[in-house]
Amino acid sequence: MRGEDPDGPDEELRHANRFGGTGGDVVQARDVQGGVHFHGYVPAFAVTPRQLPGGVRGFVNRHAELARLDDIAADHREPSVSAVAVITGTAGVGKTSLALHWAHGARQRFSAGELYVNLRGYDPGPPATPEQVLDRFLRDLGVPTAAIPAGLEDRASLYRSILADRRMLIVLDNAASASQVRPLLPGTPGSLVLVTSRSRLSGLVAREGAYRLGVGMLLEADAVALLRAVTTGYRGEDQPHELRELAGLCARLPLALRIAAERAASRPLMMLGELIADLRDESALWNALSAEDDEETDAVRTVFAWSYRALPEQEARLFRFLGVHPGNDFSLPAAAAVVGITPAQARQQLDVLVGAHLMEQSAPGRYRFHDLLRAYAVDQLHHLESGDARIEALRRVLGWYLHTADAAQLVLSPFDGYPLDQRVPADVAPLAFDGYEPAYRWYQTESVNLVAATRIAAAAGLHSTAWRLSAVLRGIYMHQNAFDDWVVTARVGVDAAAQAGDRPGEAEALESLGKAYFQSLRLYEAEEAHRAALVIRREIGDRFGEAVSVNALGLLGLRHRRLDEAESRFEQSTAIFRELGDRRWVALLQANLAEAHCELAEYEAAVSGLGVALGVFRDLGDRSCEGNALFLLSWARRELGRTGDARASIDEALTIASEEENPVWQAHWLVELAKVQRTAGQPGEALNSYQRAASIQRKLGDRSREAAALDGTGEAYQELGRFAEAANFHRQAAATHRQFGDRWQLAVALHHLAMALDRTDASEQARAHREEALVLLEAFDDPKAVSLARRVSEGLRTP
């Protein structure tokens, strides 16, 4: 089935032949008499994250604060919660530097590793939400994408479960409020959380028992020591009284002191008194312009202005225009796009900004602003550049993101991408990717900026770019199950296209939103979005889009087991695509129809349609759809009693999964292999296939499909005459299907469980399960459901 992708490959599983796990994970047929044990989803702590950013050069003193953090880590004795230290202080006072300096020195105490996040509490854009942070932390801790729950409470619960009994250091930088931090706290002792904030976060102190550590301005001697540490080796011996005066003009704030010291170091032949006079003049000007600010803020901004005015014109221009970039963290090519220069030119200019401490290089080819410096850049941009110049810079960088994302989707999703119809802006050179890995790494690195770019495009009135970004990102998100970002960008796209009166764009964004809801199992919201897209496409005469939307509604019918509706939708969509001459979509619809035929027990019809579709997929090199067609062909042939042909089809599908290193396909198709093996009278071999499928699904986090494999495991055990063990697996499967509200699969599992219990002298339990199954089956009227209901009823009549 295609058109929606219910799974995306988990990156950790894509490499190094991870399909079967270790040899100990795979149960050989000869070993079945010894028993097989599966468990529910338990997150694997697959990695030890080491995420601390680098510290700062020339860190001085703060001995009392460092000792206090040592005491907190050593003396915390509360048995029910982790230690939380809240480092508070004014902007630029060195809270992050202190936290990271201590963390680097203490990291060996935390065997489970370190997590770090900038919560962006004081950025110009929206702060990071707890949901976003937990999504990233869970991925970083080895949880597969599909296993990450949708809701905040469930994510926080899973996060706490993973960290229970582990020693983890967690740094939450730039927090805005206690509510932003609270869901990110572990629930057991052993870990330590460092929080930095300009706010006092009294709620954390009162409710969570956090330790507050206030950080003030440096003592004069320490401020002078910091100036000397940065300038040593670049200047002669400056006079102590002048260094003290310079420290005072910087309000003894580390951020301002570093910038001023770098200015002095870069002018070794200029007397320090002259530099101080320049800074004093700048301070007087700033005070005249901004008398409402406090002394510390005045000092920081004064030093910013003093250092900024000393920049060469091109570097100053780049600095202020970088204020339009969607995030504080950016790449070299993105910076080049902002002002329309080459990456080589941008690197030279960024080196100057890094040298002046107006920018920080965070990784090779990546840079970031301190939030205060970004705010200053935006301020200078609005003072010195016209509105037209600002919007042109924004168009360039957003165009760079749009077209680079397009290049990524063409690699990551070659058959499911949106065909971008917008030209690359002048002076912009988007990236190109020569394979999956670089495209995927770029997406991972830029994921936060991509969401921000979509939002900023809409806020700036660049509606065409906003909805096209959401459409292009769909091709990436659908294979990564990045549901939070997908829903956010799709909603922005819908609103942006609607505001622009762009009906085709609105339908495209609604399609993206519907697919996001479908893959995240929010099926009723998915149906609403797809129906809205269909209405628009019919109104504007978009036949291709109409057929796509009708297919999406057919998939929803299949998911809800409204099989006649699904079949009708697929036939409507097929007719339109035949009219348009789109052979791939016709073939895709034939496969979707074949699945509906299989569910309706119309197996000959399924086989007939799949033959032509399979040939088209092979001609196009669409390995995903080819494998899916072979899987469906195996299903139909098996039910027709053509076991040998079925085995050949499913073996070919699994070969594709292996060659493409795609565990999602392999796990799903292994269950069909197991069914073929059982049909051939090989329950031991089937048990092995089911176990392999369940093991992979557990790693992928697809609990629904894991439950299907567990239910099949129970069937194999019944055929081996081991009914008590079979009942255990059926119970696990039923529990999961009940949790997900899957009435059909729950009824099937309860029927199987009742059959197993009949053979273990548990007839009363079996009756209760059959009665519940009959109630569930009342919602379905297709041939399979009617047949199953009849068998369940017969079981109730059997004494």
Side-chain angles (χ1 to χ4, degrees):
M1 182 175 68
R2 285 295 179 271
E4 311 274 2
D5 182 3
D7 304 283
D10 178 75
E11 180 63 10
E12 179 200 347
L13 293 167
R14 291 192 76 259
H15 311 290
N17 191 22
R18 293 171 174 82
F19 289 153
T22 65
D25 291 333
V26 180
V27 179
Q28 303 300 324
R30 63 177 182 274
D31 298 327
V32 295
Q33 65 269 25
V36 183
H37 303 284
F38 297 122
H39 307 282
Y41 174 68
V42 178
F45 204 79
V47 293
T48 300
R50 298 292 185 188
Q51 298 184 347
L52 292 179
V56 298
R57 181 170 65 92
F59 186 89
V60 298
N61 203 301
R62 299 295 192 192
H63 299 307
E65 292 89 343
L66 293 170
R68 177 62 176 143
L69 289 172
D70 283 336
D71 291 343
I72 291 170
D75 297 341
H76 180 74
R77 294 290 183 265
E78 176 59 49
S80 60
V81 295
S82 295
V84 181
V86 178
I87 302 173
T88 67
T90 190
V93 79
K95 301 179 295 295
T96 299
S97 297
L98 172 64
L100 293 179
H101 185 81
W102 184 87
H104 278 286
R107 62 190 306 178
Q108 297 306 317
R109 307 182 199 177
F110 300 93
S111 57
E114 320 99 31
L115 293 169
Y116 170 88
V117 67
N118 181 355
L119 295 174
R120 308 194 305 272
Y122 302 94
D123 280 15
T129 65
E131 292 91 339
Q132 291 171 329
V133 176
L134 285 169
D135 178 77
R136 203 202 86 185
F137 277 178
L138 289 170
R139 292 169 192 257
D140 294 342
L141 290 168
V143 178
T145 302
I148 297 175
L152 172 61
E153 185 175 339
D154 289 339
R155 287 183 183 181
S157 177
L158 178 56
Y159 171 72
R160 290 192 297 269
S161 297
I162 294 173
L163 295 189
D165 302 320
R166 301 185 186 276
R167 291 187 61 79
M168 176 74 70
L169 176 59
I170 302 159
V171 181
L172 307 176
D173 204 8
N174 291 317
S177 64
S179 61
Q180 188 185 26
V181 169
R182 196 167 280 123
L184 309 179
L185 302 179
T188 53
S191 295
L192 174 66
V193 183
L194 295 181
V195 184
T196 72
S197 180
R198 297 179 202 172
S199 303
R200 291 175 58 80
L201 302 185
S202 299
L204 287 182
V205 176
R207 287 181 51 183
E208 278 71 34
Y211 303 89
R212 184 186 289 120
L213 175 59
V215 180
M217 295 181 292
L218 290 172
L219 297 173
E220 184 179 80
D222 294 331
V224 169
L226 177 53
L227 290 171
R228 289 194 185 279
V230 176
T231 58
T232 295
Y234 297 96
R235 296 180 59 85
E237 188 68 20
D238 290 309
Q239 294 299 311
H241 72 277
E242 291 181 325
L243 289 169
R244 289 194 295 271
E245 184 174 3
L246 180 56
L249 287 169
C250 295
R252 305 198 305 277
L253 294 172
L255 177 61
L257 287 163
R258 291 182 185 282
I259 293 172
E262 181 57 41
R263 175 88 182 273
S266 65
R267 290 160 178 77
L269 300 181
M270 190 174 185
M271 299 298 292
L272 190 59
E274 296 178 60
L275 291 169
I276 291 171
D278 286 348
L279 180 56
R280 194 184 296 113
D281 291 342
E282 189 72 57
S283 177
L285 174 62
W286 191 266
N287 289 339
L289 294 174
S290 53
E292 75 281 1
D293 288 321
D294 57 44
E295 179 183 347
E296 292 84 1
T297 303
D298 275 352
V300 170
R301 290 179 178 172
T302 295
V303 173
F304 289 174
W306 179 60
S307 189
Y308 169 75
R309 292 181 194 278
L311 292 172
E313 172 51 34
Q314 293 304 311
E315 283 74 9
R317 180 174 182 270
L318 176 61
F319 175 82
R320 61 181 178 265
F321 270 110
L322 281 171
V324 307
H325 186 273
N328 281 10
D329 178 271
F330 50 87
S331 68
L332 176 64
V338 169
V339 290
I341 59 178
T342 68
Q345 292 171 317
R347 180 181 287 107
Q348 292 175 350
Q349 295 178 23
L350 286 165
D351 284 347
V352 174
L353 296 178
V354 170
H357 283 277
L358 294 173
M359 197 74 65
E360 179 184 351
Q361 185 162 8
S362 55
R366 294 201 70 81
Y367 302 83
R368 65 181 171 216
F369 269 125
H370 188 285
D371 53 2
L372 289 178
L373 282 162
R374 186 183 183 198
Y376 181 76
V378 171
D379 180 71
Q380 292 303 297
L381 184 66
H382 282 267
H383 274 91
L384 299 175
E385 302 292 345
S386 67
D388 288 344
R390 296 197 300 270
I391 203 69
E392 273 308 305
L394 187 58
R395 283 184 193 277
R396 283 192 295 267
V397 71
L398 294 178
W400 183 85
Y401 274 107
L402 174 62
H403 288 276
T404 302
D406 180 47
Q409 72 152 350
L410 291 174
V411 173
L412 299 177
S413 183
F415 293 104
D416 297 306
Y418 167 73
L420 184 61
D421 57 354
Q422 193 175 72
R423 297 177 62 181
V424 180
D427 299 325
V428 170
L431 300 181
F433 303 101
D434 59 4
Y436 185 98
E437 292 302 329
Y440 182 73
R441 283 197 302 271
W442 180 83
Y443 156 69
Q444 279 193 309
T445 303
E446 295 286 358
S447 58
V448 172
N449 287 337
L450 287 165
V451 176
T454 308
R455 282 176 159 150
I456 287 173
L462 301 176
H463 300 304
S464 174
T465 298
W467 76 255
R468 282 180 171 83
L469 259 170
S470 75
V472 165
L473 290 170
R474 175 182 69 212
I476 300 175
Y477 292 147
M478 70 187 300
H479 293 291
Q480 308 304 328
N481 285 354
F483 299 132
D484 290 350
D485 291 351
W486 191 357
V487 169
V488 166
T489 55
R491 283 175 173 167
V492 170
V494 171
D495 292 343
Q499 288 188 45
D502 189 331
R503 299 287 276 166
E506 186 177 357
E508 198 69 45
L510 281 165
E511 181 188 330
S512 183
L513 185 60
K515 288 185 174 182
Y517 285 144
F518 181 89
Q519 289 188 209
S520 57
L521 301 181
R522 297 164 64 174
L523 300 183
Y524 294 103
E525 292 166 288
E527 187 160 351
E528 182 180 355
H530 283 307
R531 287 186 182 278
L534 179 59
V535 168
I536 293 173
R537 284 167 164 169
R538 283 176 169 165
E539 287 177 356
I540 64 178
D542 177 4
R543 295 286 282 166
F544 182 94
E546 177 186 351
V548 170
S549 294
V550 170
N551 175 63
L553 291 170
L555 295 174
L556 280 159
L558 202 57
R559 189 81 188 200
H560 286 299
R561 204 170 180 80
R562 302 193 301 254
L563 300 179
D564 289 337
E565 175 192 333
E567 189 175 38
S568 175
R569 294 283 192 187
F570 293 147
E571 288 171 347
Q572 294 172 41
S573 185
T574 300
I576 297 174
F577 282 122
R578 286 193 193 281
E579 172 191 319
L580 296 174
D582 192 316
R583 63 194 294 256
R584 177 179 181 271
W585 266 100
V586 169
L588 188 150
L589 264 298
Q590 289 301 306
N592 287 351
L593 266 170
E595 184 162 357
H597 288 318
C598 285
E599 292 289 3
L600 288 163
E602 299 168 354
Y603 302 112
E604 290 287 4
V607 171
S608 176
L610 285 168
V612 175
L614 193 55
V616 173
F617 296 140
R618 285 171 172 161
D619 287 346
L620 296 174
D622 189 336
R623 301 280 274 170
S624 170
C625 285
E626 180 187 356
N628 185 62
L630 288 164
F631 154 74
L632 294 170
L633 197 56
S634 175
W635 179 359
R637 286 170 167 172
R638 169 174 52 81
E639 293 288 356
L640 289 169
R642 296 161 56 183
T643 307
D645 291 341
R647 179 61 187 261
S649 297
I650 197 60
D651 282 348
E652 193 174 351
L654 286 165
T655 297
I656 290 173
S658 180
E659 290 174 350
E660 295 295 314
E661 297 186 353
N662 192 306
V664 176
W665 304 346
Q666 188 181 40
H668 185 41
W669 299 339
L670 275 168
V671 171
E672 172 58 24
L673 172 62
K675 291 178 180 179
V676 172
Q677 290 167 327
R678 285 175 48 221
T679 302
Q682 301 168 334
E685 287 79 356
L687 192 63
N688 180 48
S689 298
Y690 280 130
Q691 191 276 339
R692 290 172 63 201
S695 176
I696 299 167
Q697 296 292 11
R698 192 177 311 123
K699 292 174 183 176
L700 290 167
D702 192 330
R703 296 190 61 208
S704 179
R705 284 185 173 173
E706 180 188 353
L710 294 176
D711 196 44
T713 301
E715 291 184 275
Y717 266 125
Q718 289 200 53
E719 291 172 9
L720 289 165
R722 299 173 62 174
F723 300 104
E725 288 163 288
N728 287 335
F729 287 105
H730 293 312
R731 284 192 187 94
Q732 291 184 58
T736 299
H737 292 315
R738 190 186 306 280
Q739 179 182 347
F740 285 100
D742 192 329
R743 295 170 63 85
W744 169 253
Q745 293 294 344
L746 175 57
V748 171
L750 290 172
H751 168 59
H752 293 156
L753 175 57
M755 292 173 62
L757 291 172
D758 284 340
R759 305 296 296 271
T760 60
D761 297 325
S763 57
E764 288 304 313
Q765 293 181 43
R767 169 171 289 276
H769 292 314
R770 286 192 170 100
E771 289 173 348
E772 182 183 0
L774 273 181
V775 172
L776 293 167
L777 289 168
E778 290 175 358
F780 309 106
D781 59 2
D782 59 271
K784 280 189 177 181
V786 171
S787 175
L788 179 58
R790 183 172 59 251
R791 282 177 281 148
V792 172
S793 297
E794 290 171 355
L796 284 172
R797 291 194 295 270
T798 302

